[in-house]
Amino acid sequence: MKKEWLIIDRTGFSLVEALLASAIFVLLVTMLSGAYFYGQESAVLAGNTARATMFAEEGIEAVRNIRDGGFYDLSDGTYGLAVLGGEWTFSGSEDQADIFSRQVVISSIDVDRKNATVNVSWQQNGQRSGSIALTTEITSWAFPRSVQ
């Protein structure tokens, strides 16, 4: 009996395997770089949000400081903040720090109470903007008119 060996030509398979391996490699690199850049953008966004929140909290504290100087001098309106002579004061209609813009809105509730809202906005990138708003109630705790 004579055995015949069957020889299979597999040259086409190595080309398909190389194309498949290249496609999987490109897909893997694309996924990893996308995750990296998305993580970087998320970290920057979170950092800017935290900085904007601190900028808004500073605005609330500045309004309280201005209130301590004279509650009945607080007028309803939209203001910016500035430090003059070591004291907080209202200045213009908004103030800027780095990429952040801050507005303080004062509105009356009654004769001894006012609402203070601090709005902070910024441009995150070309397509995305951010904003934070903090509100507090300011009272005339030192010399309320309703008690006098």
Side-chain angles (χ1 to χ4, degrees), residues 3-16:
K3 287 188 175 181
E4 292 184 26
W5 293 96
L6 182 62
I7 299 175
I8 300 174
D9 185 17
R10 303 191 101 206
T11 56
F13 283 107
S14 62
L15 178 63
V16 171

Side-chain angles (χ1 to χ4, degrees), residues 19-142:
L19 286 174
L20 184 61
S22 297
I24 290 173
F25 178 75
V26 167
L27 183 64
L28 184 63
V29 167
T30 302
M31 283 182 356
L32 290 175
S33 63
Y36 174 76
F37 289 121
Y38 179 76
Q40 289 292 328
E41 184 178 356
S42 294
V44 169
L45 176 62
N48 284 343
T49 302
R51 288 174 51 210
T53 301
M54 288 186 279
F55 194 47
E57 288 173 351
E58 178 187 55
I60 293 289
E61 292 301 320
V63 170
R64 289 182 180 141
N65 188 274
I66 293 169
R67 180 263 330 256
D68 290 346
F71 176 82
Y72 299 106
D73 294 334
L74 288 176
S75 300
D76 291 356
T78 302
Y79 305 99
L81 293 167
V83 177
L84 295 174
E87 300 269 333
W88 284 104
T89 183
F90 291 127
S91 174
S93 61
E94 70 178 20
D95 61 293
Q96 302 278 330
D98 195 20
I99 62 171
F100 304 103
S101 174
R102 174 173 59 194
Q103 287 186 323
V104 177
V105 179
I106 305 292
S107 59
S108 293
I109 299 171
D110 60 32
V111 80
D112 290 326
R113 296 183 303 154
K114 294 187 182 277
N115 266 339
T117 302
V118 177
N119 300 307
V120 176
S121 60
W122 71 98
Q123 191 66 35
Q124 184 70 24
N125 57 32
Q127 300 83 25
R128 180 182 285 172
S129 61
S131 65
I132 296 284
L134 298 179
T135 301
T136 189
E137 189 174 300
I138 303 294
T139 61
S140 174
W141 58 271

